[in-house]
Amino acid sequence: MLIKRNPNGRDLPFPSEITPREVFESRRSFIKQLALGSIAGSALAEMAMREAFAQNAGAPKLAAKPNTSFVLMDKPTAFKDATTYNNFYEFGTDKSDPARHAGSLKPRPWTVSIEGEVKKPLTLDLDSLMKLAPLEERVYRLRCVEGWSMVIPWIGYSFSNIIKAAEPTGNAKFVEFVTLADKKQMPGVTSPVLEWPYVEGLRMDEANHPLTLLTLGMYGEVLPNQNGAPVRIVVPWKYGFKSAKSIVKIRFVKDQPQTAWNIANPQEYGFYSNVNPNVDHPRWSQATERRIGEDSFFTRKRKTLMFNGYDQVASLYTGMDLKKFF
Ligand code: MTE
């Protein structure tokens, strides 16, 4: 992988290097560089080229301009880890279940209806969603409430573009994200583990914050089914469960939505669920996290950062007791 050094000596990947997902796979990326570089034309180069691109076969690419305001110093998680260690209970509760079972999800054709307290209710198909605003690539940390984290190059645009298009009325105080619950496509929705459909919600100012990403792809491709195809939300300063997958309806509402994990266990999962190392989960500490891909017996856990390191959202919560509104 091509690494540029920044002035303080730390290795900083450049946005142009984070577009194709093979770049995240160091071995494959390395041989791709070989293939493109000095030994081009040789038998090894040809082999390397095939190896580097083979893994992308079949997955539609999604072009997006890297947004340089959202480049992290953290090394991105390998595509393989990000797509095989998932929470998507509609396909089972084991981390490997979504990768094994989400093949039955049909991400096309797909529509998202935008309704509720809006002047312009809309039903958008996938192509219209893709064209609603320029697609950007943004590298975000994702911190799961279970104590692990990843670093993922998402593709999408600020959710504020949807808000602008729908023109909410003055009554809209919250946004509710309703996701698909189809027994035919999702074997897990026959289980009583959660109330279906999986619903999440944000306060209007949270939904309008530029960081909140309407997400259509990752690692230079459309979203894999197990990561919430074809459209999900990503809210990087909150625990991962706020980032609802496979959204079919977006409702602008007056009252705070009833959300899946809050219904399941209100003592443990609050509506806000901002990443907060100072507020423990009732059954475990939230002070540290295990970065997926870094875990070996000797690896130290990382310190969890307030708002997952996204300090720019702090002003949304001025005057709120975040121990009470956890
Ligand atoms: N969305 C739906 N519809 N169903 C789910 O079970 N799990 C959540 C969230 N969105 C979930 C969901 C949880 S707990 C996490 S941590 C993230 O998705 C995981 O996203 P990832 O698998 O892309 O890392």
Side-chain angles (χ1 to χ4, degrees):
M1 171 166 159
L2 284 173
I3 297 286
K4 305 268 193 309
R5 290 206 171 261
N6 76 0
N8 67 22
R10 289 191 59 182
D11 291 337
L12 176 66
F14 274 56
S16 56
E17 295 168 42
I18 56 179
T19 302
R21 78 158 143 94
E22 59 268 30
V23 172
F24 295 90
E25 312 285 350
S26 54
R27 186 176 68 92
R28 289 169 191 257
S29 166
F30 171 63
I31 54 182
K32 185 185 165 201
Q33 293 309 323
L34 272 180
L36 295 171
S38 55
I39 58 164
S42 73
L44 177 60
E46 214 187 296
M47 238 175 64
M49 190 71 102
R50 252 189 280 122
E51 166 78 337
F53 290 105
Q55 60 176 329
N56 283 346
K61 296 271 181 268
L62 197 57
K65 202 165 163 229
N67 184 328
T68 47
S69 309
F70 303 104
V71 172
L72 294 177
M73 301 297 278
D74 312 31
K75 184 171 166 249
T77 301
F79 178 83
K80 187 162 177 274
D81 289 335
T83 54
T84 53
Y85 191 89
N86 301 101
N87 279 332
F88 199 171
Y89 278 19
E90 288 84 337
F91 295 101
T93 55
D94 278 2
K95 294 286 175 282
S96 59
D97 281 340
R100 279 193 288 138
H101 303 305
S104 51
L105 176 70
K106 284 195 214 83
R108 266 184 193 266
W110 193 277
T111 55
V112 177
S113 66
I114 301 168
E115 53 191 64
E117 295 289 347
V118 290
K119 291 186 201 129
K120 284 196 185 155
L122 297 163
T123 299
L124 298 175
D125 64 16
L126 219 43
D127 293 328
S128 316
L129 265 178
M130 297 258 183
K131 284 188 216 133
L132 192 92
L135 294 176
E136 295 173 15
E137 182 174 68
R138 300 184 184 182
V139 184
Y140 281 170
R141 288 186 208 94
L142 182 132
R143 168 65 157 83
C144 179
V145 73
E146 296 163 346
W148 51 267
S149 62
M150 296 194 194
V151 175
I152 299 185
W154 301 109
I155 295 172
Y157 48 76
S158 291
F159 182 74
S160 58
N161 290 291
I162 299 273
I163 300 182
K164 216 188 285 165
E167 296 184 22
T169 69
N171 290 331
K173 305 287 183 232
F174 295 88
V175 184
E176 186 178 79
F177 302 98
V178 183
T179 72
L180 185 71
D182 178 0
K183 283 182 194 150
K184 283 192 219 113
Q185 299 181 60
M186 302 171 136
V189 301
T190 51
S191 149
V193 64
L194 286 174
E195 243 179 52
W196 311 108
Y198 190 103
V199 172
E200 257 310 333
L202 294 172
R203 215 172 54 189
M204 270 301 273
D205 56 346
E206 297 177 320
N208 223 347
H209 194 281
L211 274 172
T212 301
L213 195 71
L214 193 283
T215 306
L216 296 150
M218 59 192 257
Y219 297 81
E221 301 174 357
V222 298
L223 280 176
N225 287 359
Q226 59 268 39
N227 293 88
V231 53
R232 68 180 288 175
I233 200 82
V234 175
V235 194
W237 71 94
K238 293 181 178 280
Y239 291 116
F241 68 85
K242 298 295 289 179
S243 294
K245 294 172 165 180
S246 303
I247 294 169
V248 290
K249 200 186 291 180
I250 296 169
R251 292 182 62 226
F252 288 80
V253 293
K254 275 191 214 146
D255 302 316
Q256 186 174 301
Q258 295 281 304
T259 55
W261 281 101
N262 188 248
I263 295 169
N265 195 337
Q267 279 77 39
E268 298 194 354
Y269 306 106
F271 175 78
Y272 284 92
S273 283
N274 293 318
V275 174
N276 189 341
N278 310 314
V279 177
D280 288 342
H281 183 279
R283 289 182 283 142
W284 57 82
S285 161
Q286 292 290 17
T288 60
E289 67 201 56
R290 185 170 64 90
R291 180 65 52 83
I292 298 298
E294 281 183 353
D295 25 23
S296 83
F297 186 70
F298 301 104
T299 314
R300 272 222 202 130
K301 286 192 165 187
R302 289 172 176 256
K303 276 194 172 165
T304 288
L305 304 171
M306 186 66 205
F307 300 121
N308 206 16
Y310 296 96
D311 298 333
Q312 60 266 55
V313 300
S315 61
L316 299 178
Y317 308 103
T318 308
M320 276 176 76
D321 177 353
L322 296 181
K323 287 202 160 82
K324 192 170 159 209
F325 296 100
F326 63 93

